CSV table of all heavy atoms in Angstrom, one decimal:
chain,number,residue,atom,x,y,z
A,762,ASP,N,3.9,14.2,23.0
A,762,ASP,CA,3.1,14.4,21.8
A,762,ASP,C,3.8,13.9,20.5
A,762,ASP,O,5.1,13.9,20.5
A,762,ASP,CB,2.7,15.9,21.6
A,762,ASP,CG,1.8,16.4,22.7
A,762,ASP,OD1,1.1,15.6,23.3
A,762,ASP,OD2,1.9,17.6,23.0
A,763,GLU,N,3.1,13.6,19.5
A,763,GLU,CA,3.7,13.2,18.2
A,763,GLU,C,4.4,14.4,17.6
A,763,GLU,O,4.2,15.6,17.9
A,763,GLU,CB,2.6,12.8,17.2
A,763,GLU,CG,2.0,11.5,17.5
A,763,GLU,CD,1.2,10.9,16.3
A,763,GLU,OE1,1.1,11.6,15.3
A,763,GLU,OE2,0.7,9.8,16.4
A,764,LEU,N,5.4,14.1,16.8
A,764,LEU,CA,6.2,15.1,16.1
A,764,LEU,C,5.4,15.6,14.9
A,764,LEU,O,4.7,14.8,14.3
A,764,LEU,CB,7.5,14.5,15.6
A,764,LEU,CG,8.5,13.9,16.7
A,764,LEU,CD1,9.6,13.1,16.1
A,764,LEU,CD2,9.1,15.1,17.5
A,765,SER,N,5.6,16.8,14.5
A,765,SER,CA,4.9,17.4,13.4
A,765,SER,C,5.7,16.9,12.1
A,765,SER,O,6.8,16.4,12.2
A,765,SER,CB,4.8,18.9,13.4
A,765,SER,OG,6.2,19.4,13.3
A,766,GLY,N,5.0,17.2,11.0
A,766,GLY,CA,5.7,16.9,9.7
A,766,GLY,C,7.0,17.7,9.6
A,766,GLY,O,8.0,17.2,9.1
A,767,ASP,N,6.9,19.0,10.0
A,767,ASP,CA,8.1,19.8,10.0
A,767,ASP,C,9.2,19.3,10.9
A,767,ASP,O,10.4,19.3,10.6
A,767,ASP,CB,7.8,21.3,10.4
A,767,ASP,CG,7.0,22.0,9.3
A,767,ASP,OD1,7.0,21.5,8.1
A,767,ASP,OD2,6.4,23.0,9.6
A,768,ASP,N,8.8,18.8,12.1
A,768,ASP,CA,9.8,18.2,13.0
A,768,ASP,C,10.5,17.0,12.4
A,768,ASP,O,11.7,16.9,12.5
A,768,ASP,CB,9.1,17.7,14.3
A,768,ASP,CG,8.6,18.9,15.2
A,768,ASP,OD1,9.2,20.0,15.1
A,768,ASP,OD2,7.7,18.7,16.0
A,769,MET,N,9.7,16.1,11.7
A,769,MET,CA,10.2,14.9,11.1
A,769,MET,C,11.2,15.3,10.0
A,769,MET,O,12.3,14.7,9.9
A,769,MET,CB,9.1,14.1,10.5
A,769,MET,CG,8.2,13.4,11.6
A,769,MET,SD,9.0,12.0,12.4
A,769,MET,CE,9.0,10.8,11.2
A,770,ALA,N,10.9,16.3,9.2
A,770,ALA,CA,11.8,16.7,8.2
A,770,ALA,C,13.1,17.3,8.8
A,770,ALA,O,14.2,17.1,8.2
A,770,ALA,CB,11.1,17.8,7.3
A,771,PHE,N,12.9,18.1,9.9
A,771,PHE,CA,14.1,18.7,10.5
A,771,PHE,C,15.0,17.6,11.0
A,771,PHE,O,16.3,17.7,10.9
A,771,PHE,CB,13.6,19.6,11.6
A,771,PHE,CG,14.7,20.4,12.3
A,771,PHE,CD1,15.2,21.5,11.8
A,771,PHE,CD2,15.2,19.9,13.5
A,771,PHE,CE1,16.2,22.2,12.5
A,771,PHE,CE2,16.3,20.5,14.2
A,771,PHE,CZ,16.8,21.7,13.6
A,772,ILE,N,14.5,16.6,11.7
A,772,ILE,CA,15.3,15.5,12.2
A,772,ILE,C,16.0,14.8,11.1
A,772,ILE,O,17.2,14.5,11.2
A,772,ILE,CB,14.4,14.6,13.0
A,772,ILE,CG1,13.8,15.2,14.2
A,772,ILE,CG2,15.2,13.3,13.5
A,772,ILE,CD1,12.6,14.5,14.9
A,773,ARG,N,15.2,14.5,10.0
A,773,ARG,CA,15.8,13.8,8.9
A,773,ARG,C,17.0,14.5,8.3
A,773,ARG,O,18.1,14.0,8.0
A,773,ARG,CB,14.7,13.5,7.8
A,773,ARG,CG,15.2,12.6,6.7
A,773,ARG,CD,14.0,12.4,5.7
A,773,ARG,NE,12.8,11.8,6.4
A,773,ARG,CZ,11.7,12.4,6.6
A,773,ARG,NH1,11.5,13.7,6.1
A,773,ARG,NH2,10.7,11.8,7.2
A,774,GLU,N,16.8,15.8,8.1
A,774,GLU,CA,17.9,16.6,7.5
A,774,GLU,C,19.1,16.8,8.5
A,774,GLU,O,20.2,16.6,8.1
A,774,GLU,CB,17.3,18.1,7.2
A,774,GLU,CG,18.4,19.0,6.6
A,774,GLU,CD,17.8,20.4,6.3
A,774,GLU,OE1,16.6,20.5,6.4
A,774,GLU,OE2,18.6,21.2,5.9
A,775,THR,N,18.8,17.0,9.8
A,775,THR,CA,19.9,17.2,10.7
A,775,THR,C,20.7,15.9,10.9
A,775,THR,O,21.9,15.9,10.9
A,775,THR,CB,19.3,17.6,12.1
A,775,THR,OG1,18.6,18.8,12.0
A,775,THR,CG2,20.4,17.8,13.1
A,776,CYS,N,20.0,14.8,11.1
A,776,CYS,CA,20.7,13.5,11.3
A,776,CYS,C,21.3,13.0,10.0
A,776,CYS,O,22.3,12.3,10.0
A,776,CYS,CB,19.8,12.5,11.9
A,776,CYS,SG,19.3,12.9,13.6
A,777,GLY,N,20.7,13.4,8.8
A,777,GLY,CA,21.4,13.0,7.6
A,777,GLY,C,22.7,13.7,7.4
A,777,GLY,O,23.7,13.0,6.9
A,778,ARG,N,22.9,14.9,7.9
A,778,ARG,CA,24.2,15.6,7.8
A,778,ARG,C,25.2,14.9,8.8
A,778,ARG,O,26.3,14.6,8.4
A,778,ARG,CB,24.1,17.0,8.3
A,778,ARG,CG,23.4,17.9,7.2
A,778,ARG,CD,23.6,19.4,7.5
A,778,ARG,NE,23.1,19.8,8.8
A,778,ARG,CZ,21.9,20.3,9.0
A,778,ARG,NH1,21.1,20.4,8.0
A,778,ARG,NH2,21.5,20.6,10.2
A,779,ILE,N,24.7,14.5,10.0
A,779,ILE,CA,25.6,13.8,10.9
A,779,ILE,C,26.0,12.5,10.3
A,779,ILE,O,27.2,12.1,10.3
A,779,ILE,CB,24.8,13.5,12.2
A,779,ILE,CG1,24.4,14.8,12.9
A,779,ILE,CG2,25.7,12.7,13.2
A,779,ILE,CD1,23.5,14.6,14.2
A,780,GLN,N,25.1,11.7,9.7
A,780,GLN,CA,25.4,10.4,9.2
A,780,GLN,C,26.5,10.5,8.1
A,780,GLN,O,27.4,9.8,8.0
A,780,GLN,CB,24.2,9.7,8.7
A,780,GLN,CG,24.4,8.4,8.0
A,780,GLN,CD,24.4,8.5,6.5
A,780,GLN,OE1,23.6,9.2,5.9
A,780,GLN,NE2,25.4,7.8,5.9
A,781,GLN,N,26.3,11.5,7.2
A,781,GLN,CA,27.3,11.7,6.1
A,781,GLN,C,28.7,12.1,6.6
A,781,GLN,O,29.7,11.6,6.1
A,781,GLN,CB,26.8,12.8,5.2
A,781,GLN,CG,25.5,12.4,4.4
A,781,GLN,CD,24.9,13.5,3.6
A,781,GLN,OE1,25.4,14.7,3.6
A,781,GLN,NE2,23.8,13.3,3.0
A,782,GLN,N,28.7,12.9,7.7
A,782,GLN,CA,30.0,13.3,8.3
A,782,GLN,C,30.6,12.1,9.0
A,782,GLN,O,31.9,11.9,8.9
A,782,GLN,CB,29.8,14.4,9.3
A,782,GLN,CG,29.4,15.7,8.7
A,782,GLN,CD,29.0,16.8,9.7
A,782,GLN,OE1,29.3,16.7,10.9
A,782,GLN,NE2,28.2,17.8,9.2
A,783,LEU,N,29.8,11.2,9.6
A,783,LEU,CA,30.4,10.0,10.3
A,783,LEU,C,31.0,9.1,9.2
A,783,LEU,O,32.0,8.5,9.4
A,783,LEU,CB,29.3,9.3,11.1
A,783,LEU,CG,28.8,10.0,12.4
A,783,LEU,CD1,27.6,9.3,12.9
A,783,LEU,CD2,29.9,10.1,13.4
A,784,ASP,N,30.2,8.9,8.2
A,784,ASP,CA,30.7,8.0,7.1
A,784,ASP,C,32.0,8.5,6.5
A,784,ASP,O,32.9,7.7,6.1
A,784,ASP,CB,29.6,7.8,6.0
A,784,ASP,CG,28.5,6.8,6.5
A,784,ASP,OD1,28.7,6.2,7.6
A,784,ASP,OD2,27.6,6.6,5.7
A,785,ALA,N,32.0,9.8,6.3
A,785,ALA,CA,33.2,10.4,5.6
A,785,ALA,C,34.4,10.3,6.5
A,785,ALA,O,35.6,10.3,6.1
A,785,ALA,CB,32.9,11.9,5.3
A,786,ALA,N,34.2,10.2,7.8
A,786,ALA,CA,35.3,10.2,8.8
A,786,ALA,C,36.0,8.8,8.9
A,786,ALA,O,37.1,8.7,9.5
A,786,ALA,CB,34.8,10.6,10.2
A,787,GLY,N,35.4,7.8,8.3
A,787,GLY,CA,36.1,6.5,8.4
A,787,GLY,C,35.1,5.3,8.6
A,787,GLY,O,33.9,5.5,8.7
A,788,GLU,N,35.7,4.1,8.6
A,788,GLU,CA,34.9,2.9,8.8
A,788,GLU,C,34.2,2.9,10.2
A,788,GLU,O,34.7,3.4,11.1
A,788,GLU,CB,35.8,1.7,8.6
A,788,GLU,CG,36.3,1.5,7.2
A,788,GLU,CD,35.3,1.1,6.2
A,788,GLU,OE1,34.2,0.8,6.6
A,788,GLU,OE2,35.5,1.2,5.0
A,789,VAL,N,33.1,2.2,10.2
A,789,VAL,CA,32.4,2.1,11.5
A,789,VAL,C,33.2,1.2,12.5
A,789,VAL,O,33.3,1.6,13.7
A,789,VAL,CB,31.0,1.4,11.3
A,789,VAL,CG1,30.3,1.2,12.6
A,789,VAL,CG2,30.2,2.3,10.3
A,790,PHE,N,33.8,0.1,12.0
A,790,PHE,CA,34.5,-0.8,12.9
A,790,PHE,C,36.0,-0.6,12.9
A,790,PHE,O,36.6,-0.6,11.9
A,790,PHE,CB,34.1,-2.2,12.6
A,790,PHE,CG,32.7,-2.6,12.9
A,790,PHE,CD1,31.8,-2.7,11.9
A,790,PHE,CD2,32.3,-2.8,14.2
A,790,PHE,CE1,30.4,-3.0,12.2
A,790,PHE,CE2,31.0,-3.1,14.5
A,790,PHE,CZ,30.0,-3.2,13.5
Side-chain angles (χ1 to χ4, degrees):
D762 296 332
E763 286 195 0
L764 299 167
S765 69
D767 287 344
D768 288 338
M769 291 286 286
F771 183 83
I772 297 164
R773 187 177 302 114
E774 180 180 352
T775 301
C776 290
R778 288 195 300 268
I779 298 173
Q780 177 263 316
Q781 291 172 6
Q782 292 170 19
L783 291 170
D784 281 358
E788 295 291 345
V789 176
F790 291 102

